[in-house]
Structure formats: C-alpha cells, structure tokens
Amino acid sequence: MLTAITGINWGDEGKGRMVDLLAGQNDIVVRYQGGNNAGHTIVNPQGKFVLNLLPSGIFHEGVVNVMGGGMVVDLQHLDGEIAKLREKGVEVSPARLKISDRATICMPYHVQQDGLEEDRLGDAKFGSTRRGIAYVYGDKYMKKAVRMGDLLHLDSLKPRLSAIAQWKNLTLTKVYGAPPIDFDELWCWVEKYAAVFAPYICDTGEFLDEADRAGKRILFEAQLGALRDVDFGIYPFTSSSNVISAYAPIGAGIPGRKIGRSVGAMKAYSSCVGEGPFTAEKAMTEAEKHLLREAGHEYGAATGRPRRVGPFDLVASRYGVRCQGADELALTLLDVLDYMEEIPVVARYRLDGEETSRFPMGEALNRAEPVVETLPGWRCDITGCRKPADLPENALAYIRYIEAGVGCQIRYVSVGPGREQIVIMD
C-alpha cells in the first residue's frame, strides 16, 4: 500500500506531525522532493524536534526512512541534523536511513549564490530561505549537478567538479563581484562528507520496488504545499520541485507505481512564509493577524521568520485538494482558534467586480479580494478532546463547513502538537 501525506496550501500545514502519527502503521517513510528549506515539527515523548531533511518516521523503531532521488541534500546540514537527534537518543544508522544515489547534493556555492541573488533583488526578492534550493535544482536540469552516488567515486568526481567550479566562478565573480570558489577548500568539504555518508547511499528505487512487491506499507512525506509546487503553485513564488502526490513515486525512485491513498494536510486557518499574493491576509486587520500569529506560534520552523496569516481560504484549499488528488484530509491546529468569538472564512474571491470560487493564476491573483463569511466560535479549550463527541458543537459545525467547502472528507483533526492530541472523525 502506497500512501502520500501532502500539503494542501502554502506549506507548514502540520504534515510532519501527521507523518509521525501514521508512521507507526507503516514500514517505510520516504521524503521524495525538496531540501532543507522544509521545517517539519514533531512533538513526541522524546521531546520537540524540527526536521529539515530527515523523514519524520525516524522516531519510530522498526521504520526504515528513505531520502529519495527527487531530493536535494545539504550534506553539512544533514550531518548536523543527525547529530542533534543522536544527542536525544534517536538511532540514525544505515539500517534505518537510506539515501538515494540519485539525490542531488546542495553544494556550498549553491547556498552562496542564493543569498547573493536575494540581496541583489532587494525589495523584489522571492522570499527564498537562502538555502540554495533553486540553484541546485537549476544545476540538476542543466546537467551540472553532483549526485550522492558520485561520492562513491571520488577519483572521477574531482575533475568534473573542478570544471563545474570554474563555470560557477564566472557567475560569482563577474555577476555578483564575489570571491571565486576555493576549490581545495571545496574538495575537503566533499571528502569529509563522502566518508560520513557513503554507508547510507544506495539504490533506493530498487529497495522500494522490492519492498512494495513484498507487501510493505510505504508512506510518502511531502515538503511544502500544493500552492508552492513549481508547476501548479503561485509561480514564481514557489519552491523548485514538484510537491504534489502524483510525483511521490517518481521522486522516490519507483515511477511505475501509483499512490493508493492520498492524505492532504491543511491548517484550520491560513499561513504563508515568503513573498507573493496571499488573498487571505486581506481579510484581517493587522491587530487580528497579530493575535492569530501569536496564538498559533506562527514563525517558520526552518527560518524563524514570522508567517503571514489569515482566515481559512476555501478557494485556495479546494484548488489544493484537487492538485493533490486527496482522498481524505487532516485539519490541523484547530485548537489555535479557541480564543475567537467569531471565526472568519474566505468563502469566495471577488475579482474584477465579480465573485468567483475559482482559484486564479498569475497577475489576477494580486487583484483578488476575499469574500468573508463568519461562523460562531466555541471559546473553550479543546486540547483535551480525543473523539468527535468531545468537541463543542460549534467546532464540529466549523469542521463540517470546511469539509463541504473543499469537497473532501476530513478524517483527522489535530487539537494540539502532541502525538496523542488527535481526533479521528467518524
């Protein structure tokens, strides 16, 4: 059985906590795209963790975690992330973590180039996490990237990387006026992490193919959300990879397989990190947004940046559900709304004088204005609820309203960050 957990909106929807919840029911958890621009927050009996690269199944004994070929991997960052988990007693070994030989390495010069370009753009910046993601994916498609499997063949890698560094120096020195790459220093970096990660590198496609044939349960974990997908998201304010569930088998290394179950995660309100149009935020005053941001602790797990916030957006979410082919949904952080007397929802957009339920693309999205409907709040603490009957009637009405508005069943409702703070709906 192949299951994907993906984001419906702009990312930060609580996918990590859902993977952590469901990982124990699976044999393998796979990250299939993206890099360390992700921030998946996990709260479990071992503590609170933020994972940027590692799959969220790493906390479950007996679960194998895979970093697929669609990922981009910052080796230094991954080494540090593993070290932090080991300090907390979490086992990370080649038996529990497998890294695709086809995954692309995010080199130090990618991170440098990302920062230089954001600085050059100034007020017109894209809101990048400055972790080099766009530049390593760009090099991948220009066939000038280094892949994890190359670390197993350093003799042949060295002259090729030297030529790539010379090519990169043309941009660094002549476009940005930055110092050239010190190749000796770069090569020391490569040798250091080749020694660290060589035992983890393998053909994960073959591993997953054999596991699927053997009837193993495989869970795919996405980064970001549908509105940040490079093809279907709010371009150019997107990530540089495909985050949709249909890409999961491809990025994992088993393109001939099909997803059997797609679970979409979405927050009970809207949040967004980075630049670009975000219609929901127009529906609240600055004071209202401040209250919501503080109630939800809305600061980026990967960057620490304050997130933009607004009411739940039915228009954007319905589009995200369609992009992800969601069979069922997880509505997260419902407890954040406990303080609200009345809860606003963006029910439709007003575009050029007419109301629409269609999610527009391009410049039209900048002109879209929210049409807001208001539902009564419940004004009580729901963090102790564990079954539907425990929830206040107004909370159940809010869930039903959203379910009907996006056209997909809500199966899970999170009422807190802990693994056990979940309500499974009838």
Side-chain angles (χ1 to χ4, degrees), residues 26-262:
N26 288 268
D27 303 296
I28 301 166
V29 176
V30 187
R31 276 278 309 274
Y32 60 87
Q33 47 74 225
N36 60 316
N37 53 334
H40 292 180
T41 302
I42 307 292
V43 179
N44 59 33
Q46 293 164 284
K48 180 178 179 179
F49 302 87
V50 176
L51 300 180
N52 301 127
L53 284 165
L54 290 169
S56 299
I58 198 70
F59 300 104
H60 291 263
E61 291 184 15
V63 173
V64 178
N65 295 266
V66 173
M67 297 172 64
M71 289 191 69
V72 295
V73 184
D74 183 319
L75 302 176
Q76 183 174 345
H77 191 103
L78 180 59
D79 190 40
E81 191 169 312
I82 290 172
K84 288 178 182 177
L85 292 191
R86 286 175 173 161
E87 288 173 5
K88 296 287 186 72
V90 179
E91 179 197 349
V92 183
S93 66
R96 297 201 59 222
L97 175 65
K98 300 183 183 299
I99 305 174
S100 172
D101 53 5
R102 296 173 184 267
T104 307
I105 299 173
C106 184
M107 306 292 282
Y109 50 74
H110 292 127
V111 179
Q112 180 188 12
Q113 192 173 354
D114 197 350
L116 288 168
E117 179 62 9
E118 283 289 280
D119 290 342
R120 186 192 72 82
L121 288 170
D123 291 341
K125 64 184 182 297
F126 291 118
S128 166
T129 57
R130 295 175 177 254
R131 296 192 172 182
I133 308 302
Y135 296 89
V136 63
Y137 273 118
D139 283 1
K140 172 182 176 178
Y141 288 104
M142 287 192 287
K143 297 174 286 293
K144 292 185 181 292
V146 178
R147 302 198 294 182
M148 292 297 296
D150 295 328
L151 298 182
L152 305 179
H153 307 283
L154 293 181
D155 288 345
S156 59
L157 172 61
K158 190 170 186 178
R160 188 163 69 86
L161 182 58
S162 177
I164 292 172
Q166 292 175 43
W167 171 68
K168 277 288 176 186
N169 280 337
L170 296 174
T171 300
L172 292 174
T173 61
K174 298 184 182 299
V175 174
Y176 297 109
I181 295 167
D182 183 327
F183 185 75
D184 291 337
E185 183 178 311
L186 177 65
W187 188 246
C188 286
W189 186 91
V190 168
E191 288 185 313
K192 173 183 177 180
Y193 293 110
V196 171
F197 290 110
Y200 296 85
I201 300 168
C202 65
D203 184 342
T204 57
E206 182 178 42
F207 170 77
L208 292 171
D209 186 66
E210 292 176 356
D212 188 43
R213 290 178 187 277
K216 300 290 186 182
R217 295 160 299 178
I218 302 173
L219 183 64
F220 298 101
E221 176 181 12
Q223 169 213 38
L224 294 170
L227 304 182
R228 294 303 191 205
D229 183 272
V230 69
D231 288 321
F232 298 99
I234 306 169
Y235 190 87
F237 303 100
T238 67
S239 188
S240 300
S241 60
N242 289 110
V243 309
I244 57 173
S245 62
Y247 184 73
I250 299 170
I254 45 174
R257 297 294 196 274
K258 295 181 180 179
I259 295 294
R261 177 190 178 205
S262 176

Side-chain angles (χ1 to χ4, degrees), residues 400-412:
R400 294 189 198 107
Y401 175 89
I402 290 176
E403 189 174 63
V406 301
C408 187
Q409 176 193 12
I410 294 174
R411 172 70 169 161
Y412 305 95

Side-chain angles (χ1 to χ4, degrees), residues 182-349:
D182 183 327
F183 185 75
D184 291 337
E185 183 178 311
L186 177 65
W187 188 246
C188 286
W189 186 91
V190 168
E191 288 185 313
K192 173 183 177 180
Y193 293 110
V196 171
F197 290 110
Y200 296 85
I201 300 168
C202 65
D203 184 342
T204 57
E206 182 178 42
F207 170 77
L208 292 171
D209 186 66
E210 292 176 356
D212 188 43
R213 290 178 187 277
K216 300 290 186 182
R217 295 160 299 178
I218 302 173
L219 183 64
F220 298 101
E221 176 181 12
Q223 169 213 38
L224 294 170
L227 304 182
R228 294 303 191 205
D229 183 272
V230 69
D231 288 321
F232 298 99
I234 306 169
Y235 190 87
F237 303 100
T238 67
S239 188
S240 300
S241 60
N242 289 110
V243 309
I244 57 173
S245 62
Y247 184 73
I250 299 170
I254 45 174
R257 297 294 196 274
K258 295 181 180 179
I259 295 294
R261 177 190 178 205
S262 176
V263 181
M266 57 188 192
K267 276 180 180 169
Y269 54 94
S270 298
S271 73
C272 166
V273 171
E275 307 298 323
F278 181 45
T279 306
E281 69 181 348
K282 300 177 185 179
M284 282 183 160
T285 66
E286 290 303 319
E288 289 169 337
K289 287 186 284 190
H290 174 74
L291 286 174
L292 180 55
R293 184 179 297 111
E294 293 305 309
H297 308 292
E298 288 296 342
Y299 297 88
T303 65
R305 291 184 298 187
R307 296 189 184 115
R308 300 156 68 188
V309 296
F312 188 88
D313 188 327
L314 285 178
V315 180
S317 300
R318 188 184 305 111
Y319 173 76
V321 167
R322 180 165 66 85
C323 288
Q324 298 293 13
D327 300 302
E328 56 190 27
L329 298 169
L331 185 68
T332 64
L333 285 88
L334 184 65
D335 56 296
V336 170
L337 305 183
D338 286 354
Y339 75 95
M340 288 189 173
E341 192 93 34
E342 292 187 323
I343 303 175
V345 176
V346 177
R348 295 171 299 282
Y349 290 172

